[in-house]
């Protein structure tokens, strides 16, 4: 069963941490709430957003179908596959963006969730 380590993208921006560095290392040393940083296990057939909600987290989302990008996250490490063609462009997918509403963790993963506000995401949400 894969483990997802998560970090709120808004915290990364507020603290001025480098997304391309290792914000997870900084997060582990910071005094962040469980809502902003932590980890949980994901069943093989479970969407990451569903697992987050099962764990009591209220991550942003709207459509749950991969068409709005409100639930966008950035996979910093690991493999996350999406089961339907998402609204993401090939470039955004190459930059690590995944939609947590349709994303499955295939391996342990580190995800910056709540990344819809990233300037690297071109989709208007």
């Amino acid at each position: 069963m894969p483990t997802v380590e998560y970090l709120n993208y808004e915290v990364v921006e507020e603290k001025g941490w480098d997304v391309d560095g290792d914000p997870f290392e900084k997060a582990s040393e910071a005094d962040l709430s469980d809502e902003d940083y932590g980890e949980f296990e994901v069943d093989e057939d479970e969407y990451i957003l569903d697992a987050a909600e099962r764990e009591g987290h209220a991550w942003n989302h709207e459509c749950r179908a991969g068409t709005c990008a409100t639930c966008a996250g950035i996979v910093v490490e690991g493999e996350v596959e999406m089961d339907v063609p998402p609204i993401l462009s090939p470039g955004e997918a190459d930059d690590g963006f995944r939609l947590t509403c349709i994303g499955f963790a295939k391996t342990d993963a580190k995800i910056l969730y709540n990344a819809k506000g990233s300037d690297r995401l071109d989709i208007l949400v």
Side-chain angles (χ1 to χ4, degrees):
M1 187 177 310
T3 299
V4 169
E5 185 176 0
Y6 63 89
L7 174 58
N8 189 339
Y9 180 82
E10 289 182 351
V11 170
V12 173
E13 282 196 323
E14 287 171 10
K15 299 217 178 255
W17 295 341
D18 183 9
V19 171
D20 296 320
D22 190 357
F24 287 87
E25 183 177 330
K26 292 182 179 188
S28 70
E29 297 169 359
D31 186 25
L32 300 177
S33 71
D34 288 342
E35 187 62 29
D36 288 328
Y37 172 72
E39 63 181 43
F40 52 81
E41 290 185 338
V42 182
D43 292 330
E44 290 179 25
D45 61 346
E46 184 176 30
Y47 294 127
I48 294 168
L49 177 61
D50 290 341
E53 290 177 331
R54 175 177 42 81
E55 293 296 316
H57 302 294
W59 290 8
N60 289 331
H61 67 281
E62 284 185 30
C63 73
R64 290 188 179 268
T67 61
C68 75
T70 301
C71 68
I74 302 170
V75 178
V76 174
E77 186 176 299
E79 184 180 346
V80 173
E81 294 180 1
M82 294 178 285
D83 68 349
V84 297
I87 192 171
L88 300 174
S89 72
E92 290 162 337
D94 289 346
D95 279 347
F97 283 95
R98 299 292 184 274
L99 303 181
T100 61
C101 72
I102 59 169
F104 295 96
K106 297 308 225 178
T107 65
D108 290 348
K110 292 182 178 182
I111 298 175
L112 296 172
Y113 81 95
N114 202 19
K116 69 179 190 268
S118 170
D119 59 4
R120 296 182 346 190
L121 185 63
D122 294 327
I123 297 169
L124 198 54
V125 291

